[in-house]
């Protein structure tokens, strides 16, 4: 999918927001939702999305909504750092399929990095064990 196109209301993150498919949530309010990535590139990989915007990418995102999502991303990064004590943290955001975007509902990734541990390939890792994700999420949520 290119940068131009229509928002698909049945994309996987829209379904998560509507509660139609499960997710391991970290925090949410009426504006944003943070949850664990089920195909993590590292231990503690998590995502932040807007619950109100239908922006597929950063070009379409309303600036005031983007401000809320970025603030939530910082909040998540701080909690991941406090809970998991990584050696580094990657914050990424992809726009358009050629850039690596696979879900067309704007989102930020928070990906902890650990010394000596290679980063899993974006979009090509295996599915995490849900109990492992829940245990990580409990630690991160406790650090919010
Ligand atoms: P991107 O490739 O930047 O669009 O990121 C999409 C991310 O969503 C990838 O890191 C996927 O692992 C992740 N993902 C896909 N489906 C789900 C899901 N059902 N729950 C949580 N994360 C997902």
């Amino acid at each position: 999918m290119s940068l131009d196109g229509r928002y698909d209301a049945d994309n996987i993150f829209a379904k998560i927001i509507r509660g139609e498919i499960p997710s391991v949530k970290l925090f949410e309010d009426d504006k944003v939702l943070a949850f664990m990535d089920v195909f993590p590139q590292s231990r503690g990989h998590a995502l932040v999305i807007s619950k109100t915007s239908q922006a597929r990418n950063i070009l379409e995102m309303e600036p005031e909504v983007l401000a809320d999502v970025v603030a939530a991303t910082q909040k998540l990064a701080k909690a991941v750092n406090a809970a998991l004590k990584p050696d580094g943290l990657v914050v990424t955001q992809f726009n358009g399929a050629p850039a690596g975007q696979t879900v067309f509902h704007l989102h930020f990734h928070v990906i902890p990095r650990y010394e000596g541990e290679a980063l899993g390939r974006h979009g090509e890792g295996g599915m995490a064990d849900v109990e492992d994700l829940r245990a990580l999420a409990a630690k991160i949520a406790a650090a919010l």
Side-chain angles (χ1 to χ4, degrees):
M1 190 184 282
S2 77
L3 286 174
D4 303 313
R6 284 224 194 115
Y7 182 81
D8 174 8
D10 282 329
N11 76 74
I12 200 102
F13 292 170
K15 289 182 178 176
I16 285 175
I17 291 167
R18 292 195 296 265
E20 293 169 7
I21 63 164
S23 64
V24 178
K25 293 183 181 180
L26 292 161
F27 61 86
E28 70 179 317
D29 59 20
D30 53 339
K31 294 177 177 169
V32 297
L33 168 65
F35 57 104
M36 302 302 292
D37 194 307
V38 281
F39 303 100
Q41 289 181 257
S42 74
R43 192 168 59 87
H45 182 172
L47 303 166
V48 179
I49 59 176
S50 163
K51 289 171 69 172
T52 59
S53 176
Q54 295 203 330
R56 291 169 312 132
N57 56 55
I58 201 162
L59 303 177
E60 298 176 354
M61 177 65 90
E62 306 83 346
E64 61 282 6
V65 180
L66 183 61
D68 290 334
V69 174
V70 170
T73 303
Q74 184 196 40
K75 174 176 166 174
L76 173 61
K78 286 182 175 180
V80 168
N81 184 47
L84 305 181
K85 306 275 190 294
D87 301 299
L89 275 171
V90 177
V91 175
T92 52
Q93 190 274 317
F94 300 91
N95 302 284
Q101 187 174 13
T102 58
V103 178
F104 297 91
H105 178 115
L106 182 138
H107 51 281
F108 281 84
H109 298 256
V110 173
I111 307 174
R113 296 299 311 272
Y114 307 93
E115 293 282 5
E117 286 185 26
L119 188 66
R121 288 180 66 84
H122 178 72
E124 293 178 19
M127 190 181 254
D129 180 281
V130 74
E131 288 310 319
D132 290 345
L133 285 187
R134 286 203 183 113
L136 282 166
K139 275 185 151 186
I140 296 167
L144 283 165

